[in-house]
Amino acid sequence: MMSVPTETQQNHEFIETNDECKKKKEGGGEDTMGGVGGSSSSIHRSASRPQLDLSGAAIHGNFEEKDPVILLPNQSDDISHLALDIGGSLIKLVYFSRHEDRLVNNRRKQTVKDRLGVTNGGMRSYPILGGRLHFVKFETRKMNECLDFIHSKQLHCGGMDSRHWRSKIPNNENAVIKATGGGAYKFSDLFKERLGVSIEKEDEMDCLVAGANFLLKAIRHEAFTHMEGQKEFVRIDHNDLFPYLLVNIGSGVSMIKVDGDGQFERVSGTNVGGGTYWGLGRLLTKCKSFDELLELSQRGDNRTIDMLVGDIYGGMDYSKIGLSASTIASSFGKTISENKELEDYSPEDISLSLLRMISYNIGQIAYLNALRFGLKRIFFGGFFIRGHAYTMDTISFAVHFWSKGNAQAMFLRHEGFLGALGAFMSYEKHGLDDLKVHHLVERFPMGAPYVGGNIHGPPLGDLNEKISWMEKFILKGTEITAPVPMDSPGTTGLGGFEVPSSKGDSLRSDASNLNVGVLHLEPTLEVFPLLRDPKTYEPNTIDLSDPGELEYWVKVLSDTLPDLVDKAVASEGATDDAKRRGDAFARALSAHLARLIEEPAAYGKFGLANLLELREDCLREFHFSDAYRSIKQRENEASLAVLPDLLLELDSMPEERRLLTLIEGVLAANIFDWGSRACVDLYNKGTIIEIYRMSRNKMQRPWGVDDFDALNARMLGSGTSTSPPYKRALLFVDNSGADVILGMLPLARELLRCGTEVVLVANSLPALNDVTAMELPDIVAGAAKHCDILRGAAEAGGLLVDAMSSIDDRCNKSSSWVPLMVVENGCGGPCIDLRQVSSELAAAAKDADLVVLEGMGRSLHTNFNGRFRCDALKLAMVKNQRLAEKLIQGNIYDCVCRFEPAS
């Protein structure tokens, strides 16, 4: 009754038996007829390339490319710098490029290394150059453009960017690059002729599996389900990844049972795949491209062509065997009984019916093979899918239907680069084998222009070209257009697939499918050791999968954008170039926000922390490294000027009153946040000190969340009992100026006075007016001029060196103080994901028994619900009415003092 062919003996002509598949290992083309042989052997490794250096990386950098990027900031050696997957339709490239690392405070880092035992993974003593892995695609018919791109960046002879390449191209006679796909054979002579390099061919299925294994193990939100138009990301337990079924849908279909790294077997396949859809579709609709055929399906209605169960049973379900009236009984079956010619049928309806027929059959065969081998996971990928929502919905429906809901189809976000990434991995010294899931951080694509689904040139590396693109393609009158085409939202209908998932004219084609988020590699990031349960930890407090929440927070960013552009341009001297870049930044961020409204899962699982960091990424992309630099400096100077009076006031208080005043001071000072619209308005009405005093005077208890009494009991004891001091406290600081100087430094000073080591944890990169780890030593030095406690602790922690003292004197003085240290957290946004922190912070956490998270970003936007294995204190003033209502059922400017004892 269903649309499943029973003539299996016909398929035997095209599908190899399992025993034959085990024996064969053939390189070459795509799954042209579902019969390409598989392999269970591991990838051949070449020992001819240097080692990729994963030490001392950092999550930052300017984004030169549109497609996925993996950052390797401490790379100094040349590595295997280029690999390709040359298919019949697309060329996919993975290549390495180097860039200069940012400045570091070597004195601070050396002290941290000595005191906390941080290892730098074999960092070299000479200057470190960083780098990224870039992912780029070209149409195969534009091979010459691909070769020009490789030549312009000198990827075939060292990977130097063309802007820095001024000398004659060196002799490349013995250069070899890895490639897979049929084009590795077809175009081998052309690469030798044009670039002077030899192609070393890698087995296509080896590469496919290696790429899939890498992505599933290394990227947190790689796999997702797609049902009824809804994308949902799947958490993969990497200890339980294998075995799984990989269904690669190219021209034909290969089904590969993957048992481990380098261990796989092609267990089945079918000749009915993407080539069938395109071939029949071209004959029946006269479409000139695969994407055009898919686009037709968006507007089709298969009920005019397909025979449904309801057509047979008078509109009724066949409930006895579980078939609804909308279920397809026979694909194209209705055309048998109708006296119509081909031209009487809509091309849109034909395309949709054909798409569903093929997708259903692939989904069914895949499930039956998973059932055959007892596999719990089925991952689908290949040229046929290309991010098309309706295709994924149809395959998902088939798997769900035949498994009676016991199995789910899963898809891979980066499946378009499986082969190219696998080819890159085939270099013996690629350095990627030991990556963990927290090493890869999702970033956001921006690069070569897309208009109506068509790519115009390779990803852009030159800033001026990027701005020109923005001016030419993004701004259309007063309308902001997203940088890639988007699917219109929709569903597949109730209980079946009687209507398409989208009626829109736009189609997310293969071009945008390969334009996935930018991937930055941070090999030294670690999971924060003090998380109670890292597996269940979710940093984001606000769920942006709720359309209302996403729309609200996108509006918040849009409303503050003009002021941010003004600050960014001013930070660069308000030159014409800065104004031009500021304008381009505004358009880029607006384009990202527009795309997220249309397609919330476009950049993976997206929380409020990611949304806020997107803003910072866009600023850095257009070379605004620190938009609030001058503002932070001015606020620091003003706050340091009044710090001595505050410390005298605090020292005159009894101990219990002093602790309350310190907490009030942290909460009051946290009002200084340039990320808050309400606070920006306050800044325009008074000075820093006036606002701070006003805020402190309004600290009326009880607060929105008020655990001060529990904190007081732990710090000072209760009754006749006393509490031992904390051994080490990690203070996650927030904003520059009054926030850190009048709020957090006095609290740190009190802990130091009690004998507690204090580690100030700050951003690795600027974000709004947040203080950074690079800036903190100078701030501490300024504060130490007025306080012996801070001075002694800072010297003990290596933050100060007294030029007038001898080394012996400094050692003797330092030994009498507990240290005050500074570490960077490994992030460049206003929030923090504690699954991804710097090795410095991870080392500091191992002996810590108190964590203090201060500020909205670190304790409310993220980590409000996070739980720790040590005592935790979360302090913030709520500067957003919606957040106040959602988290504490309070109002704007309510305060949070949440104390959570270790459990």
Side-chain angles (χ1 to χ4, degrees):
M1 188 65 71
M2 296 297 291
S3 59
V4 184
T6 58
E7 296 82 359
T8 53
Q9 66 274 14
Q10 297 178 13
N11 286 343
H12 288 166
E13 298 178 33
F14 302 97
I15 304 174
E16 296 173 289
T17 66
N18 189 37
D19 289 337
E20 290 172 328
C21 293
K22 289 179 181 178
K23 295 175 183 177
K24 291 186 67 175
K25 178 183 178 180
E26 298 175 2
E30 301 172 344
D31 295 316
T32 53
M33 297 191 67
V36 177
S39 171
S40 59
S41 63
S42 61
I43 287 182
H44 168 71
R45 305 260 188 223
S46 166
S48 60
R49 298 300 177 105
Q51 177 68 50
L52 181 64
D53 183 2
L54 298 184
S55 66
I59 327 172
H60 72 281
N62 297 316
F63 309 132
E64 299 177 359
E65 309 299 344
K66 171 185 60 59
D67 284 302
V69 175
I70 297 180
L71 179 64
L72 309 174
N74 280 351
Q75 178 62 35
S76 59
D77 288 342
D78 288 335
I79 65 161
S80 46
H81 55 270
L82 174 64
L84 303 96
D85 178 4
I86 310 175
S89 300
L90 292 175
I91 307 167
K92 283 80 68 177
L93 285 78
V94 174
Y95 74 89
F96 177 82
S97 70
R98 297 183 293 186
H99 70 85
E100 293 185 6
D101 200 4
R102 62 190 173 93
L103 297 175
V104 295
N105 186 327
N106 290 324
R107 183 179 67 197
R108 180 191 67 78
K109 281 188 172 290
Q110 186 60 45
T111 302
V112 168
K113 179 181 177 182
D114 293 342
R115 282 198 168 272
L116 303 181
V118 178
T119 61
N120 288 333
M123 285 182 66
R124 298 165 174 81
S125 58
Y126 50 84
I128 299 295
L129 293 176
R132 304 166 181 167
L133 285 174
H134 303 261
F135 295 63
V136 184
K137 80 147 187 76
F138 292 87
E139 294 180 54
T140 305
R141 64 187 178 89
K142 297 180 179 178
M143 172 59 77
N144 286 331
E145 288 187 13
C146 175
L147 294 173
D148 289 343
F149 177 75
I150 294 172
H151 185 273
S152 70
K153 289 187 174 290
Q154 298 299 306
L155 301 180
H156 56 306
C157 52
M160 291 291 289
D161 191 285
S162 59
R163 296 192 300 272
H164 307 298
W165 192 268
R166 295 292 180 263
S167 59
K168 183 179 178 181
I169 297 175
N171 186 349
N172 226 40
E173 185 176 340
N174 297 319
V176 174
I177 58 176
K178 300 277 192 174
T180 189
Y185 298 84
K186 182 177 180 179
F187 297 105
S188 179
D189 292 342
L190 185 60
F191 272 78
K192 189 68 174 179
E193 176 186 336
R194 287 283 306 275
L195 301 177
V197 297
S198 298
I199 295 286
E200 186 171 324
K201 305 167 187 67
E202 293 295 326
D203 179 76
E204 189 169 359
M205 207 159 289
D206 282 349
C207 293
L208 185 73
V209 173
N213 284 346
F214 171 75
L215 293 170
L216 286 168
K217 289 191 294 184
I219 300 177
R220 178 172 287 113
H221 299 134
E222 175 61 27
F224 64 92
T225 60
H226 205 291
M227 283 285 286
E228 296 284 327
Q230 299 299 313
K231 179 185 288 186
E232 185 173 325
F233 292 94
V234 178
R235 186 186 293 268
I236 301 293
D237 183 350
H238 301 137
N239 296 319
D240 191 34
L241 172 62
F242 305 111
Y244 66 84
L245 187 69
L246 179 62
V247 181
N248 189 53
I249 312 174
S251 299
V253 183
S254 280
M255 299 187 185
I256 307 161
K257 178 175 176 282
V258 183
D259 295 302
D261 290 321
Q263 301 175 7
F264 63 89
E265 175 185 348
R266 184 183 184 277
V267 295
S268 186
T270 172
N271 59 302
V272 179
T276 313
Y277 176 59
W278 173 213
L280 285 175
R282 185 171 180 272
L283 290 174
L284 295 173
T285 68
K286 308 303 180 185
C287 280
K288 293 181 170 56
S289 73
F290 191 98
D291 286 331
E292 184 183 352
L293 185 64
L294 275 179
E295 194 164 354
L296 285 178
S297 72
Q298 296 283 105
R299 304 187 296 275
D301 182 351
N302 68 296
R303 291 173 297 183
T304 65
I305 294 178
D306 292 340
M307 183 181 293
L308 308 182
V309 169
D311 295 326
I312 301 173
Y313 289 93
M316 303 292 290
D317 296 340
Y318 191 172
S319 54
K320 183 177 180 179
I321 60 174
L323 299 180
S324 69
S326 63
T327 301
I328 298 175
S330 175
S331 293
F332 287 85
K334 198 170 285 186
T335 64
I336 299 171
S337 58
E338 293 180 339
N339 188 22
K340 293 182 181 180
E341 300 298 326
L342 178 60
E343 55 268 19
D344 296 326
Y345 292 97
S346 160
E348 290 83 356
D349 299 345
I350 292 172
S351 176
L352 180 59
S353 178
L354 190 59
L355 175 67
R356 294 183 60 180
M357 178 183 77
I358 292 168
S359 298
Y360 277 163
N361 275 272
I362 293 172
Q364 182 186 13
I365 296 171
Y367 167 67
L368 291 175
N369 275 281
L371 185 65
R372 171 188 171 198
F373 292 101
L375 304 177
K376 295 183 292 183
R377 285 167 291 274
I378 311 173
F379 297 105
F380 291 84
F383 184 64
F384 176 67
I385 294 174
R386 64 178 66 191
H388 187 219
Y390 198 90
T391 305
M392 292 187 287
D393 271 350
T394 310
I395 291 173
S396 296
F397 179 82
V399 171
H400 184 271
F401 178 89
W402 288 107
S403 70
K404 293 182 170 57
N406 293 322
Q408 283 185 310
M410 289 183 282
F411 306 91
L412 304 177
R413 296 193 66 233
H414 300 79
E415 61 86 19
F417 288 102
L418 295 186
L421 183 56
F424 187 88
M425 299 279 291
S426 70
Y427 291 111
E428 179 167 327
K429 296 184 177 180
H430 53 73
L432 300 178
D433 284 329
D434 298 322
L435 283 182
K436 298 178 182 178
V437 67
H438 54 271
H439 288 160
L440 286 168
V441 183
E442 188 80 11
R443 287 294 185 263
F444 316 100
M446 187 62 67
Y450 280 79
V451 178
N454 298 317
I455 186 169
H456 295 265
L460 303 173
D462 182 80
L463 182 64
N464 289 323
E465 291 177 6
K466 186 182 295 183
I467 294 172
S468 298
W469 159 55
M470 291 290 177
E471 293 169 346
K472 185 175 181 181
F473 291 94
I474 293 297
L475 190 63
K476 298 181 179 180
T478 58
E479 179 185 1
I480 294 293
T481 305
V484 294
M486 302 169 293
D487 286 323
S488 299
T491 66
T492 54
L494 300 174
F497 282 73
E498 61 267 24
V499 295
S501 63
S502 171
K503 289 288 186 180
D505 293 333
S506 61
L507 172 70
R508 189 151 186 243
S509 68
D510 173 72
S512 62
N513 179 44
L514 296 185
N515 177 30
V516 289
V518 179
L519 296 175
H520 287 242
L521 174 62
E522 169 49 279
T524 61
L525 287 182
E526 301 181 31
V527 176
F528 189 57
L530 296 176
L531 284 176
R532 183 190 295 177
D533 186 358
K535 289 186 178 180
T536 60
Y537 167 78
E538 169 54 51
N540 288 287
T541 306
I542 303 299
D543 183 7
L544 294 189
S545 62
D546 178 344
E549 287 295 336
L550 177 61
E551 184 175 349
Y552 172 80
W553 289 102
V554 164
K555 186 176 186 303
V556 168
L557 262 66
S558 298
D559 289 346
T560 57
L561 182 55
D563 182 69
L564 177 57
V565 172
D566 290 342
K567 297 290 189 301
V569 172
S571 74
E572 300 285 332
T575 62
D576 289 342
D577 174 68
K579 292 175 183 177
R580 187 165 175 253
R581 285 187 283 122
D583 185 50
F585 153 70
R587 298 179 199 176
L589 180 58
S590 297
H592 280 303
L593 298 179
R595 185 181 182 193
L596 283 167
I597 289 294
E598 293 291 336
E599 189 186 354
Y603 302 146
K605 189 174 181 181
F606 215 69
L608 183 54
N610 308 102
L611 185 65
L612 296 175
E613 193 161 8
L614 182 151
R615 175 180 56 193
E616 307 305 322
D617 285 335
C618 281
L619 278 169
R620 287 188 282 268
E621 182 175 1
F622 290 95
H623 295 190
F624 292 107
S625 58
D626 191 352
Y628 286 78
R629 183 188 302 112
S630 58
I631 293 174
K632 291 191 292 183
Q633 184 176 356
R634 184 173 68 246
E635 291 182 354
N636 287 340
E637 291 172 353
S639 299
L640 284 169
V642 298
L643 178 63
D645 291 338
L646 175 61
L647 296 182
L648 285 173
E649 177 188 353
L650 291 167
D651 288 344
S652 68
M653 296 178 179
E655 194 173 36
E656 186 167 340
R657 174 58 188 161
R658 186 166 67 239
L659 181 59
L660 177 60
T661 304
L662 284 165
I663 299 301
E664 288 177 340
V666 171
L667 296 171
N670 189 235
I671 197 173
F672 296 95
D673 188 345
W674 282 92
S676 164
R677 179 81 261 172
C679 293
V680 172
D681 293 339
L682 272 179
Y683 290 147
N684 297 326
K685 298 175 182 177
T687 66
I688 287 177
I689 303 310
E690 289 171 342
I691 297 170
Y692 171 73
R693 287 173 178 160
M694 173 198 73
S695 180
R696 237 182 81 179
N697 290 335
K698 292 184 177 181
M699 288 287 112
Q700 300 297 320
R701 296 183 64 195
W703 300 315
V705 176
D706 193 339
D707 294 335
F708 174 77
D709 292 338
L711 172 68
N712 187 72
R714 170 58 185 87
M715 291 283 290
L716 305 180
S718 57
T720 58
S721 64
T722 59
S723 298
Y726 288 106
K727 180 179 179 182
R728 177 182 291 167
L730 304 180
L731 274 58
F732 288 75
V733 296
D734 189 9
N735 305 300
S736 295
D739 196 354
V740 65
I741 294 170
L742 305 182
M744 291 298 279
L745 273 184
L747 178 61
R749 177 177 179 264
E750 185 70 13
L751 290 165
L752 291 166
R753 189 204 300 263
C754 296
T756 301
E757 291 184 4
V758 173
V759 180
L760 300 177
V761 184
N763 265 19
S764 299
L765 290 174
L768 290 173
N769 63 319
D770 289 2
V771 67
T772 68
M774 281 286 291
E775 297 164 339
L776 264 179
D778 288 338
I779 291 173
V780 171
K785 294 177 182 178
H786 312 290
C787 175
D788 289 340
I789 296 174
L790 289 176
R791 180 179 179 82
E795 287 183 349
L799 298 179
L800 295 179
V801 176
D802 190 340
M804 301 300 292
S805 304
S806 68
I807 294 177
D808 290 339
D809 289 340
R810 291 201 302 270
C811 291
N812 291 333
K813 285 195 290 185
S814 297
S815 63
S816 61
W817 297 95
V818 289
L820 172 64
M821 293 173 282
V822 171
V823 300
E824 57 181 297
N825 57 22
C827 76
C831 304
I832 187 167
D833 180 346
L834 291 174
R835 294 169 301 193
Q836 297 168 313
V837 302
S838 71
S839 55
E840 287 184 1
L841 176 53
K846 289 175 182 175
D847 292 322
D849 48 1
L850 174 64
V851 168
V852 181
L853 290 160
E854 185 245 353
M856 286 215 306
R858 292 157 187 81
S859 64
L860 299 184
H861 294 150
T862 52
N863 300 301
F864 188 69
N865 300 318
R867 294 295 179 264
F868 301 89
R869 293 192 291 105
C870 66
D871 288 1
L873 176 63
K874 300 169 184 178
L875 299 169
M877 177 180 284
V878 189
K879 290 151 288 190
N880 177 278
Q881 181 61 42
R882 188 182 186 97
L883 199 66
E885 293 169 357
K886 287 188 71 69
L887 294 189
I888 62 173
Q889 292 76 52
N891 298 303
I892 192 169
Y893 300 128
D894 276 352
C895 293
V896 171
C897 175
R898 190 175 199 174
F899 180 67
E900 300 163 345
S903 58

